[in-house]
Amino acid sequence: MLPVQIKVIEKKYLHIKWDDNTESKIKLANLRKYCPCANCTGEKENQSLSYIPIYSNEQLTITSINIVGNYALNIIWKDGHNTGIYEFNFLKNISDNIAAEA
């Protein structure tokens, strides 16, 4: 499964059209919340289960999206965070299972 179109819509969602004609719409807050980089993963492990992150506009603004090989996206955020590599299956999982979260 590969993306054929990637765009940010309404400054709130990442929209991905896949080569199997399915589409994913993921809240940018969820992308940031579930960032798979080592730094963010470590921070999440230190938080309680009731922790609710609050993000600034800079933390939720994408400045660039790069395709990594044929398996992932690297998202660069306006606040400079750029180490998250979002595998395509991971993005599809977020879209299918977490899209309703704030």
Side-chain angles (χ1 to χ4, degrees):
M1 175 175 47
L2 298 171
V4 294
Q5 183 182 51
I6 303 166
K7 61 184 176 180
V8 175
I9 54 175
E10 301 171 14
K11 296 182 182 182
K12 292 174 72 172
Y13 300 96
L14 183 70
H15 182 266
I16 305 170
K17 185 173 182 180
W18 302 99
D19 62 358
D20 65 356
N21 290 321
T22 62
E23 297 184 18
S24 297
K25 184 177 174 183
I26 308 165
K27 288 185 178 184
L28 298 182
N30 284 336
L31 279 179
R32 194 63 192 247
K33 180 178 179 181
Y34 295 103
C35 176
C37 81
N39 193 31
C40 291
T41 301
E43 285 181 15
K44 284 182 276 207
E45 290 173 0
N46 293 327
Q47 301 296 333
S48 72
L49 293 176
S50 61
Y51 174 73
I52 300 171
I54 298 173
Y55 299 107
S56 70
N57 284 336
E58 283 191 344
Q59 291 173 303
L60 295 179
T61 300
I62 294 175
T63 59
S64 176
I65 299 172
N66 303 303
I67 294 182
V68 178
N70 61 355
Y71 72 97
L73 297 180
N74 169 242
I75 297 176
I76 300 172
W77 302 90
K78 189 173 182 180
D79 69 343
H81 186 66
N82 63 0
T83 55
I85 303 294
Y86 297 81
E87 292 184 8
F88 297 149
N89 289 336
F90 182 76
L91 291 168
K92 188 71 167 156
N93 184 49
I94 289 175
S95 173
D96 292 346
N97 298 306
I98 305 170
E101 287 186 19

